[in-house]
Amino acid sequence: MMSESIELQNVLDTFEDLWSPRIVTQFNDYDVRVAKFGGEYIWHAHEDTDEFFLVVDGTLTIWLRENDEERSVTLPKGAVFVVPKGMEHKPVASDGASILMIEPTGTLTVGDRHEDVPDYIDATTGHRLA
Amino acid sequence: MMSESIELQNVLDTFEDLWSPRIVTQFNDYDVRVAKFGGEYIWHAHEDTDEFFLVVDGTLTIWLRENDEERSVTLPKGAVFVVPKGMEHKPVASDGASILMIEPTGTLTVGDRHEDVPDYIDATTGHRLA
């Protein structure tokens, strides 16, 4: 178990990489991850799980593709949103953002369906804290 | 699905009740709840689930009972902690705090084992937003 609480900002201060989540803690079979977002991610979908987002700092836009239509949801600092399983989505943080995400342990950041993964995106199930 | 993002502070601004969680959103079979804490809660334990806490505002102390010993963990604003399933715990927020919690839908706030529930504590699985 965790022996002490963890301040999210302290974890965020340990790295600069964009789109490369760190696993802050776990509960049941879920990971709590934090990541720095900057610019545009790729369209992708998680077939078997919803994805929970909470904006720790900055502003996050999530583009959603539903019935061949695209729309976006904007999350200011302190806002939450859930992307339903199977839905194609594309996070964008033009001015940078720090994000907390929760999903089942082992969930790949780029999902089960995705565009080509450019070099600046880390396809990972999350990195343990050093 | 959620049509728009939800700002946690906007939800917190809709009620004053202490120890009475509102369900902000759900993902998979989990509820995301926010509550205002103030003073002392009761000792209780959830036998079948871990419990995730994130401090949105204020400071939270969680007392833990393990092998007949008690210790406390303090969470400033922006900190997270997970209470393992089966562990007796007692949240305290002497100066008040706003807390986000995540646990399986249907989880009772007072757990499966608990002290007598005083009138000021709402034994609930969480209230839907109005």
Side-chain angles (χ1 to χ4, degrees):
Chain A
M1 68 168 290
M2 300 172 70
S3 58
E4 294 300 330
S5 70
I6 295 178
E7 293 186 53
L8 298 177
Q9 193 57 54
N10 288 352
V11 176
L12 289 160
D13 287 346
T14 64
F15 65 97
E16 292 299 330
D17 321 67
L18 299 178
W19 309 116
S20 183
R22 267 56 176 179
I23 300 170
V24 174
T25 186
Q26 299 181 291
F27 61 94
N28 296 340
D29 48 354
Y30 281 74
D31 284 351
V32 178
R33 305 172 180 173
V34 292
K36 291 182 175 175
F37 288 9
E40 299 200 355
Y41 203 66
I42 51 174
W43 282 101
H44 67 287
H46 304 279
E47 299 293 9
D48 301 316
T49 182
D50 300 338
E51 187 168 18
F52 172 79
F53 292 87
L54 183 155
V55 177
V56 177
D57 203 15
T59 300
L60 172 64
T61 299
I62 303 177
W63 283 91
L64 303 165
R65 210 176 258 159
E66 201 176 7
N67 304 324
D68 287 330
E69 296 206 352
E70 292 179 5
R71 71 181 181 99
S72 68
V73 173
T74 299
L75 290 76
K77 179 177 175 172
V80 303
F81 189 75
V82 173
V83 175
K85 67 180 174 184
M87 183 171 290
E88 287 182 79
H89 59 287
K90 175 190 173 90
V92 175
S94 305
D95 297 323
S98 297
I99 308 296
L100 178 145
M101 287 160 288
I102 299 179
E103 44 216 322
T105 299
T107 300
L108 198 60
T109 45
V110 296
D112 308 297
R113 282 186 288 130
H114 55 79
E115 297 182 282
D116 287 344
V117 180
D119 286 344
Y120 69 86
I121 286 180
D122 182 16
T124 176
T125 55
H127 300 280
R128 305 243 153 222
L129 301 184
Chain B
M1 69 168 290
M2 299 171 71
S3 59
E4 294 300 331
S5 70
I6 295 178
E7 293 186 51
L8 298 177
Q9 192 57 55
N10 288 353
V11 176
L12 288 161
D13 286 346
T14 63
F15 66 98
E16 292 298 330
D17 322 67
L18 300 179
W19 309 116
S20 182
R22 266 58 176 177
I23 300 170
V24 174
T25 186
Q26 298 181 292
F27 61 94
N28 295 340
D29 47 354
Y30 281 75
D31 283 350
V32 179
R33 305 172 181 174
V34 292
K36 292 182 173 174
F37 288 9
E40 300 199 355
Y41 202 67
I42 50 174
W43 282 101
H44 67 288
H46 304 279
E47 299 293 8
D48 300 318
T49 182
D50 300 338
E51 187 169 18
F52 173 79
F53 292 87
L54 183 155
V55 177
V56 177
D57 202 16
T59 301
L60 172 64
T61 299
I62 303 177
W63 283 90
L64 303 164
R65 211 176 257 160
E66 201 175 7
N67 304 322
D68 288 330
E69 296 204 353
E70 292 179 5
R71 71 180 181 99
S72 69
V73 173
T74 299
L75 289 75
K77 178 176 175 172
V80 303
F81 189 75
V82 174
V83 175
K85 67 181 175 183
M87 184 173 289
E88 287 182 79
H89 59 287
K90 175 190 173 88
V92 175
S94 304
D95 297 323
S98 296
I99 307 296
L100 178 146
M101 287 160 287
I102 300 179
E103 43 217 321
T105 299
T107 300
L108 198 60
T109 45
V110 296
D112 308 296
R113 282 185 288 130
H114 56 78
E115 296 182 282
D116 287 345
V117 180
D119 286 344
Y120 69 87
I121 286 180
D122 183 16
T124 176
T125 55
H127 301 279
R128 305 244 154 223
L129 300 184

